[in-house]
Every structure is written in structure tokens, then in C-alpha cells.
Amino acid sequence: MNLNEIKGIGPKTIEHLNKLNIYNIDSLIRYYPYRYNIFTPSKIDETTSAESTIIIPGKIVSEPKISYIKRNFNKVSFQFETEETIINVSIFNRAFLARNLKVGKFVTVIGKYNKINNQFVAADILLYKLISTKVEPVYHISSGISVKTISKCIMNALEKCPHVREVIPKYINDKYKFLDTYSSIKEIHYPSNTNTLKQARLKLIYEELFEFMFKINLIKYKNQIFDDFIIKELTKNDLQEILNKIPFSLTTDQIDAINDILKDFKNLKRMNRLILGDVGSGKTIVSFIAILLNKKAGFQSALLAPTEVLATQHLNNFTNLFKDIKVGLLVGSLTKKEKENILVKLKNNEIDLLIGTHAMLEDNVEFANIGLVITDEQHRFGVNQRKSLQNKGNKVDVLYMSATPIPRTYALTIYGDMDISYIKEKPAGRKDIITKQYKFKDIKKAVETIEDELKLGYQAYVVAPLIESEEDNELKDLKNIEEILTSNFKGKYQIGTLHGKMKQVEKDRVMNKFKNGEINLLLSTTVIEVGVDVKNATIMTIFNAERFGLATLHQLRGRVGRSSLQSKCLLISDKDTERLSVMENSNDGFYISECDFKLRGSGDLFGVKQSGEMTFKIADIRRDYKILLQCKKDTEEFILNNIETNFRDYENFQEILNDVINS
Ligand code: ADP
Ligand code: MG
């Protein structure tokens, strides 16, 4: 059902909803609050302290007075009768509230009470009398749409479609005595009390994690039962020949990973392997070797990258190292003609390796003889894509690379369908990146440190967080930082800017200039986060570093230190958080991820906020890890109990779930 079929939603509202990624009824009713205000009425008595915020219902007993103290500074005050006494209430900068405040009206004031002068300074006023505890949802909103409107839209949507699909099997719902999905969603938006709200959340979290683990376990299960897979005929000698062409010696972990892959190639089962390595540990070369082995066995390969910049980087690196293999590039920016040309060659087996972005997942991309698909920065793609890659053929081995090191136990669960090779060691000669926090008042020193590197001919990254909250004046946005940089470096060094709102071709142009050295300093939002390899860049500066999760900080820092040059990382922040000191004290991604899980501050999950597979609407893998484990168990059992349904014939997960649940 479309949004415009719901009462009260017109074209303007639809526009605003779209900005919040709400495009249909399902995404509307599942636009969950990110937190709740819990209001509990209290009393003024001898235990009331001047420090704590209290919530007092009562009646306005004097005509509210507005005084304009200064420009942009006003005060509304009135006398207020509570159950026990009469107090003087004032609230600042809310003159607009006054028209709703009349003598005799019952309202609830929230704020602090000073007994000595009988003054109550309100931070907020609820325009009704709070009788019992009330739980009020808070939503992320964008300008142009209010919480009230969203809440109303959701209410109307729920009324219009009183049936929501259940995701989990009935016997499981019964076993845990869960609420049904419809009631849970309703409760999430219109909580009746904290207890029921808890139950509703639990149901929706379980449901989300069940679906996730179901997909993973189904892939695992299918890979186990289909053993009519082709064996790639390869010898140790084939591998040695390839290794001889590589200009550096590989680390032990890299060699181990390659041997794992070779073993998989020669096995009757489909390879479904994840290379989990720290940033800069050299995963790419491992995948290149896999490609060469696969070619020796007589098959084509595909290498999928999340961005065009990365795809092009892989192309250049590959062709620099290995000449006798035919490589094609398939990315969105190609002309129709260029694309067709590539597709024809691919089908005629005139291309050994296709490197590209999402574009190559499309159905019209047909290979003559594909035997290996590799996904770089795997965490950026979803579980569904894991499947669509395998579908390219029954000779297709699949290899994933991920630079988000996560603790082993978590990896075993969320990558439960894959075998994992770990690359922990860094290539020989790499130095730890010297990391230091600077306060804003010391920004001059930081700028000098950056200039020291630029003077030597090296390049610099500067990262600024996006503006997320408008109230936060402290936040130095891109523009402010740009000013600091240009005032210091203008005329001396070339500065380039990169942010998410730019068109892809624009971004690529700036990025390429940086790679060529035409730009000395690259100012960017986190769009540079993934995979970029510029060896001459030796200093990374991150503004408002406290805003980023540990995983993101580590990823960002990993853009430097990619050669034997000593690199530096400057964290600009006025806050002394434990995360920042973890960064100062360690360069080890696996250790840092352990800390990340322990500290579990707000922020991103594994630093992969935009990732396809780990953006849950309500679940949090770390917080809800116990539920995740339960889902792992329950989905395994569910699959085993339904073997006779033969999952082999189903095309998509949803179909299976629907069918099994309704049968
Ligand atoms: P990541 O694991 O972050 O994807 P890359 O694969 O981009 O890292 O490798 C980082 C850099 O290290 C690349 O420039 C690569 O050529 C280089 N490299 C990889 N392995 C080695 C090695 N064993 N010795 C020296 N340099 C290496
Ligand atoms: Mg990489």
C-alpha cells in the first residue's frame, strides 16, 4: 500500500517522509522511536532537593506574565497550585507558550524547585495534567516534519492496515509468549506502560535478529548439502609460480589465508570464505592471488568493490602487478557503448577478471565461465547479496574481505555461514601510527604538525564529522574547518574538499587528484573511510573525534601508515573519552574492537552504520547479543525441522519464511 492512501498524508508530507527513508507503509510503521521520555509525577515535600529535576502536576492560579528581559530573552511566570502548596513557576524563552497558559488550566511543570524562595524554574511544561507515569516516544526527525505529524501518520497507517506479517514461526512466538507483531509495533509507538513496552521491544528485536540469523544459517545449510560442486585442479606449483611474481614477501597470515583458499578450491564444497583483516594488513593481494589461481584453473573472476574509486584503485594495482591477464572495468559511469562492449567480451570469455561496483550484480551481466566472486569491504553489502553472488553459477566460489575486525565470538555468529581466515599481522616495516589528542585551544599546534608533513612533500587527510544536531553550537562543521585550513595553507598548498552530497563523478575527480598528488590536503567527511590507499599520505586529522565510534576512528586512521613512512594521527576533541585514549594507546584493530564491544558507547555498530547487513531498525548486536545467540539456536533448529520442505526450491528468504510459517 502506498503512503498517499493514508489519511492526512499529502504530497508535501510524503516528501518529508522520503527524506527519512520512509517510502511505504511498512517503513512508516517501522520508523521506531530512538528513545523515550518517561514522565513520572512527583510531589513537593521535605525530600525535594534543589538539584534534581522533578515533574509536578497542578493548576495555574495567576494570569501568566511575560517579561522581555533582553532581545532573544524572555520569561513567563505564574503562580501554580500543586496538591500540597502554591509555588512560583517561571520558564525562560518560551513566550510562545503563554497563549496556552490560562488561569484555571491544569498543566504539568518539569524542572527544579528552590524551597528557600519558593521558585520553580521549569525546563518544560506539558499542557495537560500528568496523572500517572507516561512514556513518550522520541523520533529522529528532519526539518519540515514534527514528531506530532509522524506520530499521527503512523497512527493512521496502523488503523488503515491492522494486519502486519509475522516474521517468526508461530511455535516460537508461543514458546516465548511474545506479543503479536501488530500489537508490538503499536506499543512501540504508543506505549501503554513501561512493562508492555519492554515486551514489545523484545518481540521486535527478536524478530529482526531471527530473520538475520535465518538467512545466514540457510546459506550455511545449503552450502553443506549441495556437494556437487566443481573441483579446481591446482597444484602447489601453480601457487609458487604466482608468488614469484610478487615484488614483496608475504606475511605468514597472508600465506595462511592463501593456503585456505587453495584448499577450498580443491574441495567439493563451494568456497564461502571471509578474510577478516585489520586495515592495511594486505587483504587485496590475497584476493589477487586467488584470482590468478582461479584463472589457472580455467575460470573467470569478478571483484566487487563498494565504490568506483576503490574499483579503479584495484584495477590499477592489479594491472601494475600482473600483465598477462585480461581485465575489464564495469562501473556506473561508463557510457552505454562501453558497457555493452564489456558485456560482450565477458560473454565471449575475452575477459579474465571483471572489476566493478554494484552494476555487476545485475542480471544482464553474463559470464562465459565464472569461477570466483570476491567482495571487497564486505560489510558494506547485505546478506541478500551474499546469495545473489552465489547464484551466478554452480562453479562460483565466493570470497569476502572485511576490514572491520570484530571479536572472534561475534564473527562466528554474524558470519556463521562463512569460513574465516584472519590476517592480524601487518606487512614488515610498518610503523605504528603515532596518535595524539589535541584540544581546540591547541589547534595551532595541530596545524603546525600538519604543515610539517606537507613541507616534506607528504599529503594529509582532514576529516570533519557531518552536522547531525543543530543545537550543538560547538560542533565545528566542514565550513569552519575549511576556514581554519585555508587561512593557514592558502597559496602554499592545494586543498581539496570531499563530502557525501557531491556527485559521484565529482568525488572521483577530487579523489583522483589527491592520488596523483595534485591535491596536498584532502578535507573530507567520512566518505573516504573505506579502502583508499595513498602511500604518500602520512597524517590524518580527525575533528570532533569524540563523535565517532572506535571502529570508524580506526578505519579512518588506517588511511595513513600504508608504507614504511612514519605516520601520525591527530584527534581534535575537547572531551577526554576512554575511546580516544584507546586510540592513543593502540594500533591493533582486533584489540580496539574488543574495547569497542566493552565500552559500547553510543555511536555506530562496528563502524558500519551504512552497511547493508548490520543496519537493524531496533536490534543492536552488542546490546542484544544474548538474543542473537538464541536466534542462532532457534533458526538452526527451525531449518532442521523443516528439511522436508526442501529449501532448495526457494528463490528468496521471504518466500521461505512466509511458506513455512503459513503451512
Ligand atoms: P587492506 O587490508 O586495508 O585492504 P591493502 O590490501 O590495501 O590493505 O594493502 C595495503 C598496502 O600494503 C598496499 O599498498 C599493498 O600493496 C601493501 N602490501 C600488502 N601486503 C604486503 C606485504 N606483504 N609487504 C609489503 N607491502 C604489502
Ligand atoms: Mg582493502
Side-chain angles (χ1 to χ4, degrees), residues 248-251 254 278-285 313 377 403 427-428 430 531 533 535 562:
F248 42 75
S249 55
L250 296 176
T251 64
Q254 284 173 320
D278 205 347
V279 262
S281 62
K283 293 178 292 293
T284 315
I285 193 72
Q313 178 177 294
E377 304 298 342
R430 292 290 155 83
D533 190 37
K535 289 190 165 52
R562 300 180 78 85

Side-chain angles (χ1 to χ4, degrees), residues 284-299:
T284 315
I285 193 72
V286 172
S287 73
F288 286 178
I289 293 167
I291 290 164
L292 297 170
L293 282 169
N294 182 57
K295 152 94 174 144
K296 270 191 190 287
F299 297 100

Side-chain angles (χ1 to χ4, degrees), residues 589-621:
F590 284 93
Y591 169 77
I592 291 173
S593 80
E594 293 278 354
C595 295
D596 195 20
F597 276 77
K598 272 187 212 125
L599 297 172
R600 202 169 21 92
S602 66
D604 42 4
L605 237 87
F606 313 97
V608 287
K609 222 173 193 165
Q610 325 90 315
S611 85
E613 74 190 56
M614 250 123 29
T615 34
F616 294 105
K617 287 199 149 111
I618 191 162
D620 173 332
I621 290 193

